[in-house]
Amino acid sequence: MPLRILLLEDEQAIADTLLYALQSEGFEVQHLRLARDALAAFAQQQPALAILDVGLPDGNGFDVCRAMRQTSDLPIIFLTARSEEIDRVLGLELGADDYVSKPFSPREVCARVRAILRRSAGPVQACPVLRLDEGSQRIHGAVGPLPLTRYEYRLLATLLRRPQRIFSRSELMSLVWEDAPETSDRTVDAHVKLLRAKLRDAGLAGEMIQTHRHMGYSLRV
Ligand code: CA
């Protein structure tokens, strides 16, 4: 049986490209334009995954996400406009699994849908070798806390809170370096390199921070 995806998007042209791409991959897609229709459809039958546009004629995708989250932990992807940096952070705080910035390639969306569905097929695992202590802002390995700088801590903690989830570089820049606007992709890459070295120094596998080509980084557990 095909997996059903709920697509909430009021712009027909965007919806059409996604419908075509997702249906070509074998998904069944229910496309809706209004927040209230999406919630009504959701109440009738829960989809395998929801793709929510943020700006809608009768509300916004965040409220739809909140409403869905009251009864379900289904995977949710937001579609956001490129300039809406704040939306990405808010979306993640609301418990979205991912977001895609407009303009996007339908293939990228399909790749993310597949990745999320693969991940959510199993229970989310905690990382067995690292322990995050949010209170003291430390991350412990087998033999004690890792000697991390402030941004190294924030970067590893971000990955550790959501094992397996792929974070794009721009996502990491806004989540980790929110108070340091002068960052670039290279800042992220350089810190990942340093973190891998410190993990190795602590007797752990540096490669537990995985690089995903064209997508970003995740923590393997
Ligand atoms: Ca819209």
Side-chain angles (χ1 to χ4, degrees), residues 48-62:
L49 178 146
I51 300 176
L52 308 177
D53 182 26
V54 171
L56 297 161
D58 67 334
N60 66 64
F62 296 137

Side-chain angles (χ1 to χ4, degrees), residues 8 15 24 33 36 48 88 129 146 159 167 174 188 194 202 209 216:
L8 175 57
S24 312
R33 291 173 191 80
R36 62 166 179 272
R88 304 177 187 184
V129 292
L146 303 176
L159 297 172
F167 289 87
S174 53
V188 180
L194 290 167
I209 301 177

